[in-house]
Amino acid sequence: MPNIKELMMAAQGIIKADTIITNANLISVTTSEIIENASITTYKGIITRILNKEEDINNYIGYRTKIIDAKNNYVMPGFIESHIHIESSLLNVREFGKLEVMHGVTTVIADPHEIGNVLGNEGVNLFIEESKHALPRIYFEVPSCVPAIDINKGLDSGAKIINNNDIRELMKSEKIIGLGEVMDFESVLQGEREMLERIEIAKNNNKVIEGHAPLLNKEKLDSYLIAGISSDHESSILEEALEKVRKGMYIFMREGSAWKNLSELSKLITSYKIDSRRLILVADDINVVDLVEYGHLDYLINKAIELGIDPIKAIQMVTINPAEHLRIDDKIGIIAPGRYADLVFSENLNKININTTIIEGEVVYRYGKIVKNIDDNFIYPKYASNTINLNKFSEEDLLIKINDNLKEVNANIIKAIPGSALTEKTVEELPVKKGFIDSDEDRNIMHIAVIDRHHASGNIGKGFVKNLGIERGAIAQTIAHDTHNLIIAGYDVKDMITASKYVIESNGGIAYVDKGKLISIVKLPIAGLINNSSYGEVYREVKQLEESLSVAGGSLNSIFMTLGLISLPVIPELRITDKGLVDVMKGKIIDPISRAQ
């Protein structure tokens, strides 16, 4: 940032502006006004003046000053994505960034705990380094739970560990803005020393602390808040979110590829009429197909408007609200003197359609084209593509054997809930064939297995999942939050083995197989999470997978995203890890066979 004296001289016209945006219908997110025919002067990437239509801009024009005519477009602060896992896009940081600026996102707050779980703090540092080559401004939050849950609890084997010393070191980076979602809420509530210490590290570094508190309420919620956690993106029930925001939390109203809470939570504004300043729109997880076909925060703003939220309030939820939450509203989130000249243009206010994105006074996207080149010299090291380390396994290893001479058994089954990160536990009768419990296509009940791919321990968790959304075949992937073991679901164990073979040979990815034939594959060799190609190439691969799954009666989001979260043992109700079936609220491994028959 230039020195203050230079900026003050530029504000007075003594130093001439680098760029002036004229004829702007400026959205003032501080006052919820539209200031018509405004002009914005910038110097060295910083806003220096906001002029109304009566003021003469000539005093600020020098021989090098560039004039950008906004043509009466609505000019808004650059959008801020407050909570995103870049890995879920399946893109590298640079390619993800290209799509972001096309949709008006100028600042991204990423929690890299997916790559952190696979590669540890080295993975986080790789993302930090790559972000320096990306178009938008990208900050990171240090993953607070790597692994997601303490491996000493025996619920998951984990992959890498980011300990408190790692967190202290990572906090020194200027790219770090906070402590990522504290998802191991039980450790917080039990006052475990390690967890409270990492929260204290964040406080001592004056960083925000993000939350992950599904269904927490009353005394447990209050205890969680007292620890210093300031936000939650897991609220799915209106009353749950209302209690949290009344108690001072920022509520991230999530609308991503699979977890869609905006329709329900929008009622906080439309029905309960609460002040919206502690409400923030986020995607959390969004895949490349949705980014290309629908957009990102521009899409969320438009959906909020369709749900009855005032357009300026919706814009506040991706500008000033997150900036204040992150304590950086002195830099971004507002079109005002002293802030970065991060601006986006839209011809319409009631339906946002971004045609121009400006970051620090420089046009990066204009009328359908990225107009700024990026330094594309970043290269991932070889170790980032060598993350498959597992023992060989057979068909029988993926099945649950029954020693008794039974024809059917009652099984504890994971019931997926479409559009929700939550699952339910259900007990249903399943047939036994040749001594093994079988799947049931008619009731959409599939085999599911999670295999340790990090330590070659031979650990395999086995169970059943219902409502995954696929009517036939099997899918295998190395995306299984957050440990990212190999997870496989299918009706036929032979298809499960075949799908896993293709994924392993690709050093990670997603493969769909039916009747022994590979139908589609997305290769993800970087940490088993990311394809290093252009976003267009990745889009085409993922789109083919989406179309294949659609033919099989399912959808990309209901299968890929839901399957990817079924192994995360911190979201109720029933999950599966390489250790077995996890009852989340009881915090213990349970038998896949229900003994209460």
Side-chain angles (χ1 to χ4, degrees):
M1 182 176 284
N3 68 56
I4 292 174
K5 184 175 180 180
E6 279 187 313
L7 292 172
M8 292 170 64
M9 295 303 101
Q12 297 172 56
I14 297 168
I15 296 177
K16 303 307 178 184
D18 293 331
T19 302
I20 302 177
I21 294 95
T22 62
N23 299 315
N25 286 323
L26 187 152
I27 304 298
S28 171
V29 293
T30 55
T31 59
S32 298
E33 295 176 283
I34 301 171
I35 303 172
E36 297 180 348
N37 262 339
S39 295
I40 305 161
T41 71
T42 77
Y43 178 72
K44 291 189 177 179
I46 305 298
I47 296 169
T48 50
R49 284 271 350 245
I50 307 295
L51 293 87
N52 62 40
K53 59 186 175 182
E54 284 80 26
E55 293 181 277
D56 188 0
I57 67 170
N58 287 318
N59 188 43
Y60 299 92
I61 298 176
Y63 69 95
R64 291 182 178 173
T65 303
K66 182 179 180 181
I67 306 295
I68 298 175
D69 187 352
K71 300 178 181 179
N72 295 315
N73 271 231
Y74 294 94
V75 178
M76 301 160 277
F79 302 154
I80 304 165
E81 170 51 81
S82 304
H83 181 71
I84 194 79
H85 304 290
I86 293 173
E87 303 95 318
S88 293
S89 71
L90 310 181
L91 301 169
N92 66 36
V93 175
R94 289 156 294 155
E95 293 299 310
F96 176 80
K98 290 176 184 178
L99 287 171
E100 291 296 276
V101 299
M102 293 167 67
H103 296 288
V105 180
T106 57
T107 301
V108 174
I109 313 300
D111 183 340
H113 71 213
E114 317 301 356
I115 199 164
N117 269 278
V118 178
L119 296 175
N121 63 337
E122 288 182 335
V124 177
N125 281 318
L126 283 175
F127 262 28
I128 290 174
E129 191 58 36
E130 188 183 6
S131 73
K132 297 173 184 176
H133 302 259
L135 283 171
R137 182 181 303 103
I138 303 180
Y139 295 116
F140 295 92
E141 292 176 330
V142 179
S144 65
C145 300
V146 175
I149 194 164
D150 188 344
I151 59 174
N152 293 318
K153 294 182 178 180
L155 303 181
D156 194 351
S157 65
K160 294 288 187 177
I161 295 173
I162 294 180
N163 61 32
N164 288 354
N165 288 332
D166 295 324
I167 290 172
R168 281 192 191 90
E169 194 62 31
L170 287 165
M171 285 285 179
K172 295 176 183 177
S173 170
E174 63 181 11
K175 284 278 194 173
I176 297 295
I177 202 168
L179 184 68
E181 54 180 297
V182 183
M183 63 179 66
D184 189 359
F185 55 83
E186 287 295 341
S187 290
V188 176
L189 298 179
Q190 292 164 15
E192 294 186 3
R193 184 183 62 81
E194 286 286 316
M195 179 57 74
L196 296 186
E197 182 180 317
R198 63 191 55 180
I199 289 172
E200 199 62 32
I201 292 168
K203 290 179 181 178
N204 291 340
N205 283 275
N206 196 31
K207 307 293 186 183
V208 296
I209 305 166
E210 308 289 17
H212 173 114
L215 305 181
L216 278 192
N217 61 5
K218 299 180 180 179
E219 69 279 0
K220 288 186 175 182
L221 175 62
D222 293 355
S223 180
Y224 191 71
L225 290 170
I226 287 169
I229 296 159
S230 60
S231 69
D232 179 59
H233 64 276
E234 290 290 343
S235 296
S236 57
I237 301 168
L238 188 59
E239 289 72 19
E240 171 191 6
L242 186 61
E243 179 185 2
K244 288 171 180 174
V245 77
R246 281 173 172 168
K247 290 178 175 177
M249 278 188 124
Y250 279 89
I251 295 300
F252 293 176
M253 294 165 42
R254 177 173 58 182
E255 190 77 7
S257 289
W259 330 125
K260 301 180 184 294
N261 308 129
L262 181 53
S263 292
E264 178 69 7
L265 298 186
S266 66
K267 297 172 188 173
L268 291 168
I269 300 170
T270 58
S271 297
Y272 282 86
K273 310 294 182 184
I274 73 165
D275 192 310
S276 61
R277 292 298 286 273
R278 283 188 178 259
L279 304 178
I280 295 172
L281 297 174
V282 304
D284 191 5
D285 294 290
I286 186 167
N287 67 56
V288 63
V289 171
D290 286 346
L291 278 170
V292 169
E293 296 186 353
Y294 299 106
H296 187 178
L297 292 182
D298 49 352
Y299 173 76
L300 270 62
I301 292 169
N302 288 334
K303 180 160 185 177
I305 293 169
E306 291 172 4
L307 290 166
I309 295 174
D310 176 81
I312 295 181
K313 287 188 184 298
I315 292 165
Q316 287 173 329
M317 289 191 279
V318 297
T319 55
I320 188 171
N321 295 13
E324 289 180 341
H325 164 58
L326 295 161
R327 306 171 196 158
I328 51 175
D329 54 304
D330 61 330
K331 297 181 178 67
I332 61 174
I334 305 169
I335 301 176
R339 275 69 173 186
Y340 288 120
D342 294 353
L343 308 165
V344 293
F345 298 4
S346 174
E347 289 184 12
N348 198 308
L349 187 61
N350 291 317
K351 186 170 184 180
I352 302 298
N353 185 16
I354 303 302
N355 60 57
T356 302
T357 301
I358 297 172
I359 299 178
E360 294 186 26
E362 185 175 2
V363 177
V364 298
Y365 171 76
R366 187 84 159 151
Y367 295 118
K369 292 184 179 180
I370 292 174
V371 295
K372 181 182 178 182
N373 294 324
I374 62 171
D375 172 10
D376 211 17
N377 293 326
F378 180 85
I379 299 174
Y380 278 96
K382 288 184 179 180
Y383 68 80
S385 300
N386 188 24
T387 62
I388 306 294
N389 181 29
L390 46 70
N391 287 347
K392 290 183 179 180
F393 52 91
S394 66
E395 293 178 17
E396 288 193 1
D397 292 328
L398 304 184
L399 299 175
I400 299 171
K401 188 173 181 60
I402 297 296
N403 294 321
D404 301 324
N405 187 24
L406 299 173
K407 293 184 178 180
E408 60 275 319
V409 296
N410 286 336
N412 291 315
I413 295 171
I414 303 166
K415 183 180 178 181
I417 303 172
S420 173
L422 301 173
T423 64
E424 293 177 356
K425 174 186 172 184
T426 182
V427 177
E428 296 195 34
E429 191 176 84
L430 288 176
V432 176
K433 294 182 180 178
K434 297 181 179 179
F436 296 97
I437 308 177
D438 201 10
S439 59
D440 189 326
E441 288 188 44
D442 293 336
R443 287 181 286 159
N444 198 217
I445 299 173
M446 308 170 77
H447 297 285
I448 189 166
V450 177
I451 303 169
D452 168 31
R453 71 146 162 133
H454 303 288
H455 312 293
S457 66
N459 288 349
I460 302 178
K462 295 173 279 190
F464 294 90
V465 60
K466 182 175 184 176
N467 289 351
L468 197 56
I470 187 173
E471 295 173 356
R472 57 183 180 271
I475 189 164
Q477 60 188 51
T478 46
I479 296 173
H481 299 276
D482 282 332
T483 301
H484 297 296
N485 282 314
L486 175 62
I487 188 166
I488 320 165
Y491 295 103
D492 186 331
V493 70
K494 288 182 169 52
D495 281 346
M496 293 171 72
I497 291 288
T498 303
S500 65
K501 174 187 171 186
Y502 282 108
V503 167
I504 293 165
E505 289 175 350
S506 302
N507 284 326
I510 310 163
Y512 173 55
V513 167
D514 188 24
K515 296 178 181 177
K517 180 182 177 182
L518 177 67
I519 306 300
S520 57
I521 186 168
V522 178
K523 296 180 180 180
L524 303 171
I526 305 298
L529 304 172
I530 295 165
N531 186 309
N532 209 25
S533 303
S534 70
Y535 73 78
E537 292 177 68
V538 182
Y539 166 76
R540 286 187 284 274
E541 277 194 24
V542 179
K543 187 66 177 176
Q544 182 186 9
L545 173 64
E546 180 183 64
E547 291 170 353
S548 300
L549 294 174
S550 178
V551 170
S555 72
L556 176 67
N557 294 330
S558 67
I559 298 170
F560 156 56
M561 295 296 286
T562 303
L563 183 61
L565 213 62
I566 273 175
S567 65
L568 182 57
V570 293
I571 302 178
E573 178 175 27
L574 191 61
R575 303 280 153 169
I576 185 168
T577 72
D578 68 320
K579 297 283 191 175
L581 278 182
V582 180
D583 185 315
V584 175
M585 299 312 288
K586 292 181 180 178
K588 67 178 186 179
I589 300 290
I590 65 170
D591 196 322
I593 301 169
S594 175
R595 300 299 177 181
Q597 297 185 33

